[in-house]
Amino acid sequence: MNKIPVITIDGPSGSGKGTVATLTAKDLGFRLLDSGALYRSLAVSAIKREVNLEDHQQLADLARCLNIEFDLFNSGSVWLDGEDVSLSIRTDIVSKAASLLGTIPAVRTALHEQQLAFRKEPGLVADGRDMGTVVFPDALVKIYLTARLEERVQRRYKQLIDKGIDATLPLLLRDLKERDAKDSERPISPLKPAKDAVVLDTTDLQVDQVVQLVMSIVRDRLAS
Ligand code: DC
């Protein structure tokens, strides 16, 4: 049995899981896995190499040798093959491609191994869609964040504009709806709360309130 504690934070786009995971990991002094950034980086790599998104075998091979480095705590940057892809992984086309890649079983299997390797002392905070259900089923604490669709769209809009990436609210609403449907309805590792997850609706909460709630759950669990 692996004794290294894992805190999983799953949920749909705009639920705040990325920000909450980063702040929680910082508070605990734990490592951080942004699993969505893995799917997104694979999408960037596949598009750049002109890999056909229907060629599952080639995509899985690419996933297995992804050369990614995260510097999430300092600059929040993601490096792929030595190139800073922090902005390109957030674009609309890459978001769609990442969601599509998430439906391919061979890709999920290849990325599964990579994700397990992030579990190192003193502990890990992992955010994504299936961290608590599939990748770390033995996690110490499982959190599932949700928020009303309109609120999630507003948050995603602000995030993109702050990064200097073009966005419009109606298009974002459509894209988020589509992505929610694709992520939740896929037969393999669909987006859903683990049976033993604590579900938190963040619609009317500030980020620091959510982090406080998560931290109190984690502290209770670490102490027991
Ligand atoms: O969390 P995110 O929005 O950065 O994730 C981008 C896409 O990657 C998401 O739409 C589906 C896929 N993904 C996944 O299938 N499983 C994960 N654990 C994380 C992301």
Side-chain angles (χ1 to χ4, degrees):
M1 209 181 84
N2 196 327
K3 291 253 170 62
I4 300 173
V6 178
I7 318 299
T8 58
I9 304 187
D10 288 305
S13 285
S15 59
K17 62 186 183 332
T19 313
V20 171
T22 306
L23 294 173
T24 304
K26 265 188 190 163
D27 245 347
L28 290 164
F30 280 13
R31 289 162 194 275
L32 177 66
L33 165 62
D34 172 358
S35 62
L38 285 183
Y39 285 86
R40 288 170 179 274
S41 300
L42 176 62
V44 169
S45 186
I47 292 167
K48 213 161 105 190
R49 289 162 201 249
E50 299 183 355
V51 175
N52 181 343
L53 294 188
E54 283 175 13
D55 187 342
H56 295 184
Q57 193 50 54
Q58 211 185 335
L59 288 168
D61 291 345
L62 196 58
R64 235 170 263 114
C65 49
L66 261 194
N67 178 14
I68 296 188
E69 280 171 54
F70 292 108
D71 185 10
L72 296 174
F73 285 143
N74 298 319
S75 57
S77 55
V78 180
W79 296 77
L80 173 68
D81 298 327
E83 191 191 327
D84 187 349
V85 292
S86 320
L87 286 183
S88 51
I89 60 168
R90 303 288 158 200
T91 57
D92 182 41
I93 182 165
V94 169
S95 302
K96 282 203 182 100
S99 186
L100 176 75
L101 291 174
T103 64
I104 303 172
V107 165
R108 299 204 76 86
T109 307
L111 288 183
H112 193 117
E113 292 302 312
Q114 300 234 10
Q115 293 169 89
L116 293 179
F118 279 80
R119 188 174 194 168
K120 291 198 179 124
E121 295 285 3
L124 175 71
V125 177
D127 84 72
R129 303 286 187 291
D130 61 341
M131 297 296 97
T133 49
V134 176
V135 182
F136 302 108
D138 63 337
L140 180 72
V141 174
K142 299 180 185 178
I143 306 286
Y144 187 90
L145 298 184
T146 65
R148 258 200 325 269
L149 178 65
E150 294 71 20
E151 171 66 19
R152 293 193 282 117
V153 170
Q154 290 285 351
R155 290 178 188 172
R156 188 38 57 101
Y157 178 76
K158 188 170 179 315
Q159 246 175 16
L160 292 173
I161 296 298
D162 285 351
K163 286 196 164 106
I165 298 174
D166 261 353
T168 67
L169 286 168
L171 276 184
L172 269 184
L173 176 67
R174 195 196 63 194
D175 287 353
L176 229 63
K177 260 190 192 161
E178 266 175 31
R179 215 138 64 79
D180 277 359
K182 197 173 237 124
D183 294 348
S184 325
E185 288 161 16
R186 65 182 180 222
I188 176 166
S189 303
L191 167 67
K192 63 166 189 203
K195 285 201 178 72
D196 47 351
V198 178
V199 179
L200 297 175
D201 186 332
T202 69
T203 307
D204 299 314
L205 296 176
Q206 300 294 322
V207 170
D208 53 340
Q209 293 176 301
V210 183
V211 175
Q212 271 177 23
L213 274 172
V214 171
M215 283 301 294
S216 75
I217 296 167
V218 172
R219 284 208 191 91
D220 275 359
R221 210 62 70 80
L222 283 170
S224 62

